[in-house]
Amino acid sequence: MTQCAKRKGGRQNLRRYDGTVVTRDEMTIRILPPDVAQKIAAGEVVERPASAVKELVENALDAGARQVQVEIRSGGLGLIRVADDGSGIPAAEAETAFLRHATSKLASAADLTSIRTLGFRGEALASIAAISQITLYTHHAEDDLGVTLTLEAGQVVARKPWAGPTGTTILVRNLFFNVPARLKFLRSATGEAGQIGHVIEQFALGHPDVRFRFLSEGRRVLETPGSGDLRDALRQVYGSEIADALVAIDETSESSHARVWGLISTPQVTRANRSGLSFFVNRRCITNLSLVYAVEEAYHPALLPGRHPIGALHLEIPPTDVDCNVHPTKAEVRIVNERAIYSLAHRAVRAALLQVAPLPEIGAPLEPASWIRGSALDAAPAELPGAGHRFDASGARGTETRGHEAAAQNHLSVSDQDTAASNAATTFEPSSAATSPPTGSDAPFRPTALRPVGQVQNTYIVAEGAGGIYFIDQHTAHERILYEEIVAQRSATRAPSQVLLAPVVVPLNARQRAALLEHGAELARLGFDLEEFGPDSFILRAVPPRLVRADLLQALRDAADALAGDVLAPDGTDRLAATLACHAAVRAGDALTLTEIATLLARLEETDVSRYCPHGRPVVVHLSVSQLERDFHRR
Ligand code: ADP
Ligand code: MG
């Protein structure tokens, strides 16, 4: 509600929502002094050190650089140094480059309809300069001599000739020194360094022909060869093991004059979040959830819920079909015919995956399962955002592809390791009324006195209980139990720890390293003994006892990925606990003794188990007595 107007002696005295009085003086409209206007504009472009680095590297690439070196101190807040071997700035234009709306990349509004450069607004240098101290060294190829400029809060304070090589080096010191409000919202120096590392990784994947070097606190974090081969760049970002396992995609669409190419992982190589999948439109790194869905859908049904592929996808689209001017930090673009482009990406990924291994197909083995009522296969296929293709295992058109959500729901049909199509025959629809536990579908599932019957396919536990037969996914059930335990432990003082016989060296990317450095104390509390080892690895000496038999390399990487994001997933799940629980739990395919099954069931009874594991997979499927009676025509 708006505030009341009080009349005093004929004059209005307005109070606004916070109780302050709106004075006449305040209401005078005036143009802000340039330094204030600059700081406001800077807030848009430069949200954090990583955004400054992004703009400076974009400038280097727009200048045709073959080598870009980025160096930071204190997470970029102390110093950012970006050096390139590009064209350089003409000495006569050096001051102009720091003015707002000063650019060499656009001349008229018409140019906005076919942007070919990463920058085009002419705002970045002015914005960064307004909130830092800058030294510029630049030498344009056609000038005899270069120039160096020093700026304080946007004002040039010194200018000298400079006799360096062709190219540009910019030093940004004390970013946000005059915007203390922004400083409060930044992460720790290691957190910011991690973000910068991520930005540079994306540039490296977007420009495999450029050599990138990134140093933080004097230590080399990333260096790419600039060979022009995307796999070489991916090797530096994700390590050889992952990069060498990626498969190439390349597909062109005549009708949309577009091409998609790149490298993507098989369903076996995944990670716990989406940060491993990068998209580039005409070399510009962009975020686009519809594209992510289109690509992940191509993995259906082989991708486990909560797992995401790794890779880099380049889209080449005529610049006239892309609007780059729709987002303050240029992180999103608009594409004419976007549905056709999503389809192209989907098709390209699908075709490449089918080449390396036929994907299990959920539609085919329907008949053998038809005696099961309420099968997940009965569910209507959901629409894929932006695409409606048909594929079957041979790559020919055939069965319907299913939507993302449906894929997650149908997960019971695909076990952890075994993706054989015949598994679909054992599928139940966990959320259908006919197969819900007697407590009702919304109430948490609390098994009462379950009697172990046995194990099916070394994957599902079969148990008998009051309401009929229960099929329990041994991995997800165990995962759920451990999740609750770990969440409880995170708030406790210190968990037990088990020293490893042989310490494990875990190579990590910049983002993962930063996350581990930032959350070291927390991990120690959970039972990890971790230490930095060389420039891009950690050495693991002790782990929580329940993890001893896990794949520690993958567990630590996934834990770092979980820590690099927000602590809680959008649905409130504790990401770190979910990751650790997943790695510590028994696997599908592990044979269990009846005693082990009984123990697991007993622990399940003690746990407040909702029917889904932390990754959203069903824990239990129930076949009621009345359902059996109906199926056997006893009723
Ligand atoms: P924009 O990139 O949108 O044009 P910027 O403020 O980032 O705006 O840069 C202003 C201008 O300064 C650019 O258009 C370019 O001409 C010049 N410039 C900036 N950085 C470099 C660089 N590293 N090499 C060559 N020219 C540069
Ligand atoms: Mg720029």
Side-chain angles (χ1 to χ4, degrees), residues 14 32 99 156 202 208 262 266 385 411 427-428 523 623:
L14 290 177
L32 287 172
L99 300 178
V156 178
Q202 300 309 308
T266 58
H411 175 69
T427 300
F428 288 84
L523 289 164
L623 190 58

Side-chain angles (χ1 to χ4, degrees), residues 359-372:
L359 295 173
E361 196 211 319
I362 216 161
L366 246 180
E367 287 71 33
S370 57
W371 55 274
I372 299 174

